[in-house]
mmCIF file of all heavy atoms in Angstrom:
data_model
loop_
_atom_site.group_PDB
_atom_site.id
_atom_site.type_symbol
_atom_site.label_atom_id
_atom_site.label_comp_id
_atom_site.label_asym_id
_atom_site.label_seq_id
_atom_site.Cartn_x
_atom_site.Cartn_y
_atom_site.Cartn_z
ATOM 1 N N TYR L 32 -2.964 2.426 -8.366
ATOM 2 C CA TYR L 32 -4.092 2.525 -7.438
ATOM 3 C C TYR L 32 -5.085 3.585 -7.858
ATOM 4 O O TYR L 32 -4.706 4.709 -8.220
ATOM 5 C CB TYR L 32 -3.605 2.871 -6.031
ATOM 6 C CG TYR L 32 -2.890 1.736 -5.336
ATOM 7 C CD1 TYR L 32 -1.503 1.687 -5.304
ATOM 8 C CD2 TYR L 32 -3.604 0.726 -4.709
ATOM 9 C CE1 TYR L 32 -0.845 0.647 -4.673
ATOM 10 C CE2 TYR L 32 -2.950 -0.322 -4.071
ATOM 11 C CZ TYR L 32 -1.574 -0.353 -4.061
ATOM 12 O OH TYR L 32 -0.925 -1.380 -3.427
ATOM 13 N N GLY L 33 -6.367 3.221 -7.777
ATOM 14 C CA GLY L 33 -7.390 4.237 -7.848
ATOM 15 C C GLY L 33 -7.321 5.101 -6.597
ATOM 16 O O GLY L 33 -7.013 4.603 -5.517
ATOM 17 N N MET L 34 -7.584 6.396 -6.753
ATOM 18 C CA MET L 34 -7.459 7.348 -5.653
ATOM 19 C C MET L 34 -8.761 8.118 -5.467
ATOM 20 O O MET L 34 -9.534 8.298 -6.407
ATOM 21 C CB MET L 34 -6.329 8.338 -5.930
ATOM 22 C CG MET L 34 -4.957 7.704 -6.113
ATOM 23 S SD MET L 34 -4.364 6.923 -4.609
ATOM 24 C CE MET L 34 -4.248 8.335 -3.522
ATOM 25 N N GLY L 35 -8.982 8.577 -4.252
ATOM 26 C CA GLY L 35 -10.203 9.320 -3.991
ATOM 27 C C GLY L 35 -10.044 10.344 -2.893
ATOM 28 O O GLY L 35 -9.015 10.382 -2.202
ATOM 29 N N TRP L 36 -11.059 11.181 -2.783
ATOM 30 C CA TRP L 36 -11.159 12.160 -1.696
ATOM 31 C C TRP L 36 -12.466 11.932 -0.960
ATOM 32 O O TRP L 36 -13.521 11.713 -1.587
ATOM 33 C CB TRP L 36 -11.126 13.584 -2.237
ATOM 34 C CG TRP L 36 -9.783 14.015 -2.755
ATOM 35 C CD1 TRP L 36 -9.337 13.947 -4.037
ATOM 36 C CD2 TRP L 36 -8.715 14.581 -1.986
ATOM 37 N NE1 TRP L 36 -8.053 14.431 -4.118
ATOM 38 C CE2 TRP L 36 -7.649 14.832 -2.873
ATOM 39 C CE3 TRP L 36 -8.550 14.912 -0.638
ATOM 40 C CZ2 TRP L 36 -6.440 15.392 -2.465
ATOM 41 C CZ3 TRP L 36 -7.355 15.471 -0.230
ATOM 42 C CH2 TRP L 36 -6.318 15.701 -1.125
ATOM 43 N N PHE L 37 -12.388 11.977 0.349
ATOM 44 C CA PHE L 37 -13.544 11.900 1.229
ATOM 45 C C PHE L 37 -13.516 13.125 2.139
ATOM 46 O O PHE L 37 -12.497 13.801 2.250
ATOM 47 C CB PHE L 37 -13.499 10.625 2.080
ATOM 48 C CG PHE L 37 -13.689 9.355 1.301
ATOM 49 C CD1 PHE L 37 -12.668 8.839 0.519
ATOM 50 C CD2 PHE L 37 -14.879 8.660 1.366
ATOM 51 C CE1 PHE L 37 -12.833 7.667 -0.201
ATOM 52 C CE2 PHE L 37 -15.059 7.477 0.655
ATOM 53 C CZ PHE L 37 -14.029 6.990 -0.129
ATOM 54 N N ARG L 38 -14.628 13.395 2.804
ATOM 55 C CA ARG L 38 -14.640 14.485 3.776
ATOM 56 C C ARG L 38 -15.538 14.137 4.945
ATOM 57 O O ARG L 38 -16.454 13.324 4.813
ATOM 58 C CB ARG L 38 -15.105 15.790 3.129
ATOM 59 C CG ARG L 38 -16.557 15.803 2.660
ATOM 60 C CD ARG L 38 -16.847 17.082 1.883
ATOM 61 N NE ARG L 38 -18.246 17.140 1.448
ATOM 62 C CZ ARG L 38 -18.724 18.095 0.651
ATOM 63 N NH1 ARG L 38 -17.927 19.056 0.194
ATOM 64 N NH2 ARG L 38 -20.005 18.090 0.314
ATOM 65 N N GLN L 39 -15.247 14.758 6.072
ATOM 66 C CA GLN L 39 -16.036 14.535 7.272
ATOM 67 C C GLN L 39 -16.255 15.848 7.992
ATOM 68 O O GLN L 39 -15.292 16.490 8.430
ATOM 69 C CB GLN L 39 -15.354 13.536 8.197
ATOM 70 C CG GLN L 39 -16.209 13.117 9.375
ATOM 71 C CD GLN L 39 -15.651 11.897 10.089
ATOM 72 O OE1 GLN L 39 -14.475 11.539 9.931
ATOM 73 N NE2 GLN L 39 -16.490 11.236 10.868
ATOM 74 N N ALA L 40 -17.514 16.248 8.075
ATOM 75 C CA ALA L 40 -17.891 17.461 8.792
ATOM 76 C C ALA L 40 -18.173 17.106 10.253
ATOM 77 O O ALA L 40 -18.475 15.951 10.566
ATOM 78 C CB ALA L 40 -19.123 18.082 8.145
ATOM 79 N N PRO L 41 -18.099 18.086 11.147
ATOM 80 C CA PRO L 41 -18.347 17.807 12.569
ATOM 81 C C PRO L 41 -19.715 17.182 12.788
ATOM 82 O O PRO L 41 -20.722 17.668 12.266
ATOM 83 C CB PRO L 41 -18.265 19.195 13.214
ATOM 84 C CG PRO L 41 -17.390 19.984 12.303
ATOM 85 C CD PRO L 41 -17.684 19.482 10.925
ATOM 86 N N GLY L 42 -19.743 16.085 13.521
ATOM 87 C CA GLY L 42 -21.001 15.427 13.838
ATOM 88 C C GLY L 42 -21.590 14.591 12.714
ATOM 89 O O GLY L 42 -22.703 14.076 12.849
ATOM 90 N N LYS L 43 -20.865 14.481 11.617
ATOM 91 C CA LYS L 43 -21.374 13.712 10.475
ATOM 92 C C LYS L 43 -20.426 12.579 10.127
ATOM 93 O O LYS L 43 -19.260 12.586 10.506
ATOM 94 C CB LYS L 43 -21.559 14.623 9.261
ATOM 95 C CG LYS L 43 -22.638 15.687 9.453
ATOM 96 C CD LYS L 43 -22.892 16.438 8.165
ATOM 97 C CE LYS L 43 -24.012 17.450 8.322
ATOM 98 N NZ LYS L 43 -24.283 18.179 7.040
ATOM 99 N N GLU L 44 -20.936 11.614 9.369
ATOM 100 C CA GLU L 44 -20.114 10.517 8.917
ATOM 101 C C GLU L 44 -19.222 10.950 7.756
ATOM 102 O O GLU L 44 -19.529 11.912 7.049
ATOM 103 C CB GLU L 44 -21.005 9.348 8.468
ATOM 104 C CG GLU L 44 -21.787 8.697 9.600
ATOM 105 C CD GLU L 44 -22.516 7.454 9.139
ATOM 106 O OE1 GLU L 44 -22.511 7.161 7.935
ATOM 107 O OE2 GLU L 44 -23.095 6.766 10.007
ATOM 108 N N ARG L 45 -18.128 10.223 7.596
ATOM 109 C CA ARG L 45 -17.249 10.492 6.465
ATOM 110 C C ARG L 45 -18.000 10.161 5.179
ATOM 111 O O ARG L 45 -18.634 9.113 5.069
ATOM 112 C CB ARG L 45 -15.978 9.659 6.583
ATOM 113 C CG ARG L 45 -14.875 10.045 5.634
ATOM 114 C CD ARG L 45 -13.586 9.324 5.956
ATOM 115 N NE ARG L 45 -13.096 9.658 7.293
ATOM 116 C CZ ARG L 45 -11.912 9.298 7.742
ATOM 117 N NH1 ARG L 45 -11.082 8.611 6.983
ATOM 118 N NH2 ARG L 45 -11.536 9.611 8.971
ATOM 119 N N GLU L 46 -17.886 11.055 4.184
ATOM 120 C CA GLU L 46 -18.607 10.844 2.938
ATOM 121 C C GLU L 46 -17.684 10.932 1.737
ATOM 122 O O GLU L 46 -16.681 11.650 1.743
ATOM 123 C CB GLU L 46 -19.739 11.875 2.779
ATOM 124 C CG GLU L 46 -19.274 13.305 2.646
ATOM 125 C CD GLU L 46 -20.415 14.272 2.358
ATOM 126 O OE1 GLU L 46 -21.583 13.845 2.279
ATOM 127 O OE2 GLU L 46 -20.130 15.472 2.196
ATOM 128 N N PHE L 47 -18.057 10.228 0.697
ATOM 129 C CA PHE L 47 -17.313 10.225 -0.552
ATOM 130 C C PHE L 47 -17.454 11.574 -1.253
ATOM 131 O O PHE L 47 -18.539 12.161 -1.268
ATOM 132 C CB PHE L 47 -17.850 9.106 -1.450
ATOM 133 C CG PHE L 47 -17.338 9.146 -2.854
ATOM 134 C CD1 PHE L 47 -16.094 8.629 -3.172
ATOM 135 C CD2 PHE L 47 -18.102 9.723 -3.864
ATOM 136 C CE1 PHE L 47 -15.619 8.672 -4.468
ATOM 137 C CE2 PHE L 47 -17.650 9.771 -5.168
ATOM 138 C CZ PHE L 47 -16.395 9.243 -5.463
ATOM 139 N N VAL L 48 -16.361 12.050 -1.852
ATOM 140 C CA VAL L 48 -16.375 13.310 -2.597
ATOM 141 C C VAL L 48 -16.074 13.067 -4.078
ATOM 142 O O VAL L 48 -16.845 13.468 -4.948
ATOM 143 C CB VAL L 48 -15.352 14.312 -2.019
ATOM 144 C CG1 VAL L 48 -15.293 15.568 -2.879
ATOM 145 C CG2 VAL L 48 -15.692 14.657 -0.583
ATOM 146 N N ALA L 49 -14.940 12.436 -4.364
ATOM 147 C CA ALA L 49 -14.529 12.251 -5.756
ATOM 148 C C ALA L 49 -13.513 11.111 -5.833
ATOM 149 O O ALA L 49 -12.844 10.800 -4.851
ATOM 150 C CB ALA L 49 -13.916 13.530 -6.313
ATOM 151 N N ALA L 50 -13.417 10.515 -7.021
ATOM 152 C CA ALA L 50 -12.451 9.443 -7.237
ATOM 153 C C ALA L 50 -11.941 9.490 -8.671
ATOM 154 O O ALA L 50 -12.623 9.992 -9.575
ATOM 155 C CB ALA L 50 -13.065 8.082 -6.941
ATOM 156 N N ILE L 51 -10.757 8.942 -8.846
ATOM 157 C CA ILE L 51 -10.141 8.852 -10.161
ATOM 158 C C ILE L 51 -9.496 7.476 -10.269
ATOM 159 O O ILE L 51 -8.869 7.007 -9.314
ATOM 160 C CB ILE L 51 -9.129 9.990 -10.374
ATOM 161 C CG1 ILE L 51 -8.601 10.013 -11.801
ATOM 162 C CG2 ILE L 51 -7.985 9.921 -9.370
ATOM 163 C CD1 ILE L 51 -7.850 11.299 -12.151
ATOM 164 N N ASN L 52 -9.652 6.831 -11.409
ATOM 165 C CA ASN L 52 -9.120 5.474 -11.510
ATOM 166 C C ASN L 52 -7.604 5.507 -11.696
ATOM 167 O O ASN L 52 -6.990 6.566 -11.850
ATOM 168 C CB ASN L 52 -9.818 4.686 -12.616
ATOM 169 C CG ASN L 52 -9.361 5.075 -14.015
ATOM 170 O OD1 ASN L 52 -8.934 6.198 -14.241
ATOM 171 N ND2 ASN L 52 -9.456 4.142 -14.936
ATOM 172 N N TRP L 53 -7.003 4.331 -11.707
ATOM 173 C CA TRP L 53 -5.545 4.243 -11.691
ATOM 174 C C TRP L 53 -4.905 4.900 -12.909
ATOM 175 O O TRP L 53 -3.812 5.469 -12.822
ATOM 176 C CB TRP L 53 -5.099 2.786 -11.572
ATOM 177 C CG TRP L 53 -5.545 1.916 -12.709
ATOM 178 C CD1 TRP L 53 -6.711 1.209 -12.794
ATOM 179 C CD2 TRP L 53 -4.846 1.673 -13.935
ATOM 180 N NE1 TRP L 53 -6.785 0.546 -13.994
ATOM 181 C CE2 TRP L 53 -5.655 0.799 -14.716
ATOM 182 C CE3 TRP L 53 -3.623 2.084 -14.451
ATOM 183 C CZ2 TRP L 53 -5.267 0.360 -15.959
ATOM 184 C CZ3 TRP L 53 -3.223 1.635 -15.696
ATOM 185 C CH2 TRP L 53 -4.051 0.783 -16.446
ATOM 186 N N SER L 54 -5.584 4.860 -14.068
ATOM 187 C CA SER L 54 -5.012 5.435 -15.289
ATOM 188 C C SER L 54 -5.261 6.934 -15.403
ATOM 189 O O SER L 54 -4.623 7.613 -16.217
ATOM 190 C CB SER L 54 -5.602 4.745 -16.517
ATOM 191 O OG SER L 54 -6.973 5.086 -16.666
ATOM 192 N N GLY L 55 -6.208 7.439 -14.626
ATOM 193 C CA GLY L 55 -6.566 8.846 -14.738
ATOM 194 C C GLY L 55 -7.603 9.133 -15.807
ATOM 195 O O GLY L 55 -7.981 10.288 -16.005
ATOM 196 N N LEU L 56 -8.079 8.104 -16.473
ATOM 197 C CA LEU L 56 -9.002 8.305 -17.589
ATOM 198 C C LEU L 56 -10.463 8.343 -17.157
ATOM 199 O O LEU L 56 -11.341 8.678 -17.963
ATOM 200 C CB LEU L 56 -8.803 7.204 -18.635
ATOM 201 C CG LEU L 56 -7.446 7.199 -19.323
ATOM 202 C CD1 LEU L 56 -7.362 6.044 -20.306
ATOM 203 C CD2 LEU L 56 -7.179 8.526 -20.021
ATOM 204 N N SER L 57 -10.739 7.967 -15.934
ATOM 205 C CA SER L 57 -12.122 7.932 -15.460
ATOM 206 C C SER L 57 -12.225 8.611 -14.102
ATOM 207 O O SER L 57 -11.394 8.384 -13.218
ATOM 208 C CB SER L 57 -12.593 6.481 -15.344
ATOM 209 O OG SER L 57 -13.922 6.422 -14.860
ATOM 210 N N THR L 58 -13.250 9.461 -13.962
ATOM 211 C CA THR L 58 -13.500 10.146 -12.691
ATOM 212 C C THR L 58 -14.956 9.959 -12.279
ATOM 213 O O THR L 58 -15.818 9.657 -13.111
ATOM 214 C CB THR L 58 -13.189 11.645 -12.785
ATOM 215 O OG1 THR L 58 -13.979 12.222 -13.844
ATOM 216 C CG2 THR L 58 -11.712 11.889 -13.074
ATOM 217 N N TYR L 59 -15.208 10.180 -10.995
ATOM 218 C CA TYR L 59 -16.558 10.005 -10.459
ATOM 219 C C TYR L 59 -16.727 10.988 -9.318
ATOM 220 O O TYR L 59 -15.804 11.173 -8.516
ATOM 221 C CB TYR L 59 -16.721 8.566 -9.944
ATOM 222 C CG TYR L 59 -18.135 8.179 -9.595
ATOM 223 C CD1 TYR L 59 -18.956 7.584 -10.535
ATOM 224 C CD2 TYR L 59 -18.634 8.389 -8.311
ATOM 225 C CE1 TYR L 59 -20.251 7.211 -10.210
ATOM 226 C CE2 TYR L 59 -19.916 8.025 -7.977
ATOM 227 C CZ TYR L 59 -20.730 7.439 -8.927
ATOM 228 O OH TYR L 59 -22.013 7.076 -8.602
#
Side-chain angles (χ1 to χ4, degrees):
Y32 288 99
M34 300 294 297
W36 289 94
F37 292 76
R38 66 187 182 186
Q39 188 167 18
K43 295 187 177 181
E44 293 187 354
R45 192 171 298 189
E46 65 175 1
F47 170 81
V48 175
I51 187 167
N52 76 333
W53 61 270
S54 69
L56 295 179
S57 179
T58 57
Y59 191 92

